[in-house]
């Protein structure tokens, strides 16, 4: 991280970036108005400077599994299968596969000409080693392990390039999960060095390889000259166009924007919403891609008062005008998501988008039903005995985790709720303290910044099932209901798409009725690209940036 005074951050960053920048530019991410369309023929060479808001100390997405790890992992690993437009699963490292009628056995046939950047072959035994690794609790693979370990039984190498994977129970999301960058295939020789070494220098078969890693500062990736396994969605074959990527960590969004507009960075992540209006004048291309899964939200701890009362939870939702709040905080750059799933997630049902439209009269009615029948001198609702309806909202005080727009949103929500007599106490805490709240599952009424990015409706099980509450640590709502558990288990096991959609529609209806979260906006892959960089894209599975097809025109 760059912990330096704000006044010197821009100058320091620009000077440092200028020293390493061989060519800067902008491009597009496969969006409309692609500047690459008129930029000419792609060329090889050049260094792309990419500015990220945060990074993990471990850049191996199989360890942990946070989104920044997957974003960088996308550059140096390949996946077993590819998710194309519309959710179609296509061959990638696996050139074909079969699934048994009962959904318990997957047999993959892999390409026989792919090598990791350490020179070892990517074969069935290597893929088997990756499965063994992520299901081992000692690995600490919270994302991959959470997706795969509950269902994985064992695997068998049938021949050098054929692997049979056997599941304990059917998992209709299995191929979707394998298409995510969290499970990019890594070299067994590489991870045999141990977690600490592999966290710094993981080895994949992708278009780039990690050659330098200073945790929370920068990662340097060089072109893999032997790359021959591009995914189906690529626009070229062979090695990447770029010679190098410098992946720098710059928490302050205003500093990232300044570097971009001063031509000291090619691409930045999460540009400031207030600068969207000036992008065209600054010759910047904006690329927004919704990530599937659950929306960015405020989570409700349903195990503690007053949010253990569904009437109060519903009242909180009706009391806050999220469409107006989002427009105020993000200048209209984010849409409101009203249901449990983000549009674009498989089996998303739009029927729940407007369930909790702003309705202060409805909020008042629900609060009175819940026993908050009085109003004190400060305008807050109380019980007959004087107990104030007060809810604490902790959030990460690090601006890299909670940018100014998010804080404005929380303040707007606070004002909306006060108008209906609900006190929201904003509570900034350190990153460590905030992470402890998430991990412990204790000591909070709500949590800000909740979302889960995945390309399957099984995200509902990940977030709201009793299974997740007891075993995964991902059910921060502390919610448990056997009816919902049954729906989610049946949806996951169902192999028929039409029948599966009916089950997930019922599950969305149930989650929505229980008002388990305050829905806000979709998590998005948001990039700003300046004028000489072209061919930036994001994968369809979970919206990770992809620089394989990227090139710099000068």
């Amino acid at each position: 991280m760059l912990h330096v005074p704000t006044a010197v951050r821009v100058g320091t960053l620009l000077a440092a970036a200028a020293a390493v920048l061989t060519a800067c530019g902008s491009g597009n991410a496969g969006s409309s108005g692609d500047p690459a369309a008129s930029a000419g023929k792609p060329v090889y060479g050049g260094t792309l400077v990419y500015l990220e808001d945060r990074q993990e100390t471990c850049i191996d997405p199989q360890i942990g599994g946070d989104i920044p790890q997957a974003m960088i992992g996308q550059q140096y690993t390949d996946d077993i299968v590819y998710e194309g437009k519309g959710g179609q699963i296509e061959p990638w490292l696996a050139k074909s596969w079969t699934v048994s009628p009962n959904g318990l056995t997957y047999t993959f046939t892999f390409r026989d000409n792919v090598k990791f950047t350490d020179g070892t072959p990517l074969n069935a035994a290597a893929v088997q080693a990756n499965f063994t690794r992520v299901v081992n609790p000692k690995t600490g693979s919270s994302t991959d392990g959470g997706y795969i370990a509950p269902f994985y039984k064992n695997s068998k190498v049938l021949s050098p390039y054929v692997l049979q994977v056997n599941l304990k129970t059917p998992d209709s999301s299995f191929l979707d999960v394998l298409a995510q960058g969290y499970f990019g295939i890594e070299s067994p020789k590489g991870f045999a060095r141990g977690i600490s070494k592999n966290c710094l220098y993981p080895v994949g078969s992708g278009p780039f390889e990690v050659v330098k890693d200073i945790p929370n500062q920068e990662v340097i990736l060089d072109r893999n000259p032997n790359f021959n396994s591009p995914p189906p969605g690529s626009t070229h074959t062979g090695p990447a166009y770029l010679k190098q990527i410098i992946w720098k960590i710059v928490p302050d969004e205003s500093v990232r924007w300044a570097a971009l507009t001063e031509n000291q960075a090619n691409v930045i992540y999460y540009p400031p919403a207030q600068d969207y209006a000036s992008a065209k004048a600054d010759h910047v291309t904006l690329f927004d891609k919704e990530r599937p899964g659950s929306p960015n939200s405020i989570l409700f701890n349903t195990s503690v008062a007053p949010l253990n009362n569904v009437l109060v939870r519903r009242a909180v939702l009706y009391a806050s005008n999220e469409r107006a709040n989002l427009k105020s905080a993000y200048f209209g750059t984010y849409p409101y998501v009203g249901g449990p799933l983000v549009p674009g997630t498989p089996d998303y049902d739009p029927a729940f988008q407007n369930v909790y439209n702003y309705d202060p009269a409805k909020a008042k009615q629900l609060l009175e039903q819940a026993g908050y029948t009085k109003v004190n001198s400060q305008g807050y609702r109380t019980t007959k005995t004087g107990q104030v309806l007060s809810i604490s909202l902790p959030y990460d005080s690090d601006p890299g985790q909670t940018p100014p727009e998010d804080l404005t949103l929380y303040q707007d929500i606070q004002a909306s709720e006060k108008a209906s007599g609900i006190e929201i106490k904003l509570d900034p805490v350190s990153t460590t303290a905030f992470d402890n709240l998430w991990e412990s599952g204790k000591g909070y009424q709500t949590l800000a910044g909740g979302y889960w990015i995945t390309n399957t409706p099984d995200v509902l099980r990940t977030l709201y099932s009793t299974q997740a509450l007891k075993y995964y640590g991902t059910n921060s709502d502390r919610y448990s209901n056997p009816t919902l558990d049954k729906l989610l288990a049946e949806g996951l096991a169902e192999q028929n798409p039409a029948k599966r959609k009916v089950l997930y529609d019922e599950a969305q209806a149930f989650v929505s009725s229980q008002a388990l979260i305050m829905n806000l906006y979709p998590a998005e892959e948001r990039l700003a690209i300046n004028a000489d960089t072209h061919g930036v894209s994001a994968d369809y599975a979970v919206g990770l940036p992809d620089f394989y097809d990227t090139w710099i025109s000068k």
Side-chain angles (χ1 to χ4, degrees):
M1 293 287 185
L2 299 179
H3 294 295
V4 294
T6 303
V8 301
R9 285 184 199 165
V10 174
T12 301
L13 173 65
L14 300 187
V20 298
L21 190 61
T22 61
C24 49
S26 140
N28 61 347
S31 57
S32 59
D34 183 351
S38 59
K41 185 179 179 180
V43 296
Y44 286 87
T47 294
L48 180 138
V49 176
Y50 172 78
L51 305 186
E52 176 68 85
D53 62 344
R54 63 188 178 97
Q55 187 59 62
E56 305 296 324
T57 54
C58 178
I59 62 171
D60 175 358
Q62 291 186 12
I63 306 297
D66 198 4
I67 189 68
Q69 295 171 284
M71 290 168 70
I72 197 166
Q74 182 79 5
Q75 317 313 317
Y76 66 80
T77 64
D78 299 323
D79 296 333
I80 293 176
V81 293
Y82 174 79
E83 180 176 313
K85 191 173 184 179
Q88 182 69 32
I89 300 298
E90 303 175 35
W92 191 350
L93 290 175
K95 61 183 182 181
S96 64
W97 60 88
T98 60
V99 185
S100 64
N102 63 6
L104 293 177
T105 300
Y106 290 71
T107 304
F108 298 96
T109 300
F110 292 96
R111 297 177 54 172
D112 60 6
N113 63 341
V114 179
K115 290 186 176 181
F116 297 107
T117 54
D118 61 9
T120 58
L122 196 158
N123 53 25
V127 177
Q128 181 187 49
N130 276 256
F131 276 108
T132 301
R133 183 184 192 225
V134 300
V135 301
N136 184 346
K138 293 181 180 179
T139 303
S141 184
S142 59
T143 297
D144 286 331
Y147 287 148
I148 297 172
F151 311 100
Y152 181 82
K153 181 179 181 181
N154 56 43
S155 60
K156 182 179 181 181
V157 175
L158 302 182
S159 68
Y161 293 96
V162 179
L163 180 69
Q164 182 186 88
V165 178
N166 301 305
L167 304 183
K168 300 173 186 175
T169 56
D171 176 6
S172 62
S173 70
F174 187 59
L175 291 176
D176 299 290
V177 167
L178 298 186
Q180 297 184 17
Y182 301 104
F183 193 49
I185 299 302
E186 298 182 29
S187 164
K189 180 181 176 181
F191 56 69
R193 298 169 299 173
I195 288 177
S196 60
K197 182 70 173 180
N198 210 71
C199 274
L200 289 172
Y201 295 99
V203 178
S205 61
F208 299 95
E209 61 178 315
V210 178
V211 297
K212 181 180 180 182
D213 180 8
I214 303 176
N216 294 314
Q217 292 187 32
E218 71 174 15
V219 179
I220 296 179
L221 304 103
D222 285 352
R223 176 201 290 147
N224 173 7
N226 301 312
F227 181 66
N228 65 348
S229 50
S234 305
T235 61
H236 81 292
T237 58
Y241 294 123
L242 295 170
K243 180 181 179 181
Q244 187 177 77
I245 299 173
I246 298 178
W247 192 287
K248 299 183 77 71
I249 311 307
V250 182
D252 191 312
E253 61 181 16
S254 64
V255 177
R256 296 197 300 274
W257 184 263
L260 183 74
T261 57
E262 292 292 330
N263 290 333
Q264 303 302 325
N266 299 74
V267 183
I268 67 170
Y269 180 67
Y270 208 83
Q274 65 265 27
D275 290 314
Y276 268 45
S278 66
K280 185 175 182 180
D282 288 328
H283 307 290
V284 169
T285 296
L286 298 170
F287 175 62
D288 297 349
K289 182 180 179 64
E290 280 191 3
R291 287 169 165 161
S294 71
N296 199 305
S297 61
I298 294 172
L299 305 180
F300 295 157
N301 186 342
T302 62
S303 68
V304 300
L307 296 171
N308 57 351
N309 187 330
V310 68
L311 298 177
V312 173
R313 298 198 300 269
R314 290 171 181 163
V316 171
L317 299 188
Y318 282 121
S320 192
N321 188 349
E322 297 318 326
R323 287 180 173 83
N325 293 339
L326 286 169
K327 186 174 182 180
S328 166
Y330 294 100
F331 303 90
T333 64
Y334 268 122
Y336 168 64
V337 175
L341 298 179
V342 173
T345 308
D347 296 327
Y348 162 80
D349 191 336
F352 310 106
Q353 171 67 11
N354 301 309
V355 171
Y356 293 103
N357 284 344
Y358 181 52
D359 191 341
K362 182 69 172 177
K364 177 182 177 181
Q365 176 189 349
L366 290 166
L367 291 176
E368 290 182 348
Q369 290 179 33
Y372 293 93
T373 57
K374 305 293 183 180
V375 178
N376 67 13
S377 60
Q378 295 177 293
Y380 293 119
R381 287 262 166 183
T382 73
T383 62
K384 291 180 179 179
T385 59
Q387 183 180 3
V388 178
L389 179 52
S390 181
I391 300 170
S392 173
L393 175 59
Y395 65 90
D396 194 321
S397 58
D398 183 342
Q401 303 282 357
T402 304
E405 296 96 332
D406 276 3
L407 181 54
T408 298
L409 178 62
Y410 301 151
Q411 291 167 342
D412 289 344
I413 291 171
Q414 182 184 49
S416 292
E417 298 290 342
K418 184 175 183 179
S420 289
I422 302 171
E423 181 181 34
I424 302 293
K425 293 181 177 179
L426 300 183
D427 182 18
V429 299
S430 69
T431 299
T432 300
F434 193 67
D435 288 345
N436 287 339
L437 289 175
W438 279 95
E439 292 169 8
S440 69
K442 300 176 182 178
Y444 61 88
Q445 292 173 303
T446 68
L447 286 173
Y451 63 90
W452 193 277
I453 299 168
T454 186
N455 56 348
T456 165
D458 187 49
V459 67
L460 300 176
R461 182 184 59 88
T462 301
L463 296 178
Y464 308 120
S465 69
T466 304
Q467 188 181 41
L469 178 62
K470 289 184 176 180
Y471 303 115
Y472 306 155
T474 53
N475 183 344
S476 298
D477 290 86
R478 317 297 298 169
Y479 186 76
S480 177
N481 186 285
T483 299
L484 180 60
D485 290 340
K486 184 173 184 293
L487 283 171
L488 295 175
E490 290 175 349
L492 187 63
E494 180 57 62
Q495 300 296 307
N496 182 290
K499 293 180 180 179
R500 185 168 61 240
K501 177 168 175 52
V502 170
L503 291 166
Y504 279 120
D505 285 351
E506 291 182 31
Q508 288 172 77
F510 192 99
V511 170
S512 179
S513 72
Q514 293 301 299
L516 300 180
I517 59 174
M518 177 180 282
N519 297 289
L520 298 174
Y521 57 89
E524 292 186 350
E525 174 64 19
R526 290 194 151 201
L527 303 174
I529 310 157
N530 89 356
D532 302 318
T533 305
H534 317 281
V536 179
S537 64
D539 80 304
Y540 287 107
V542 288
L544 303 175
D546 193 320
F547 298 126
Y548 168 61
D549 286 325
T550 301
W551 57 281
I552 297 171
S553 57
K554 67 177 182 180

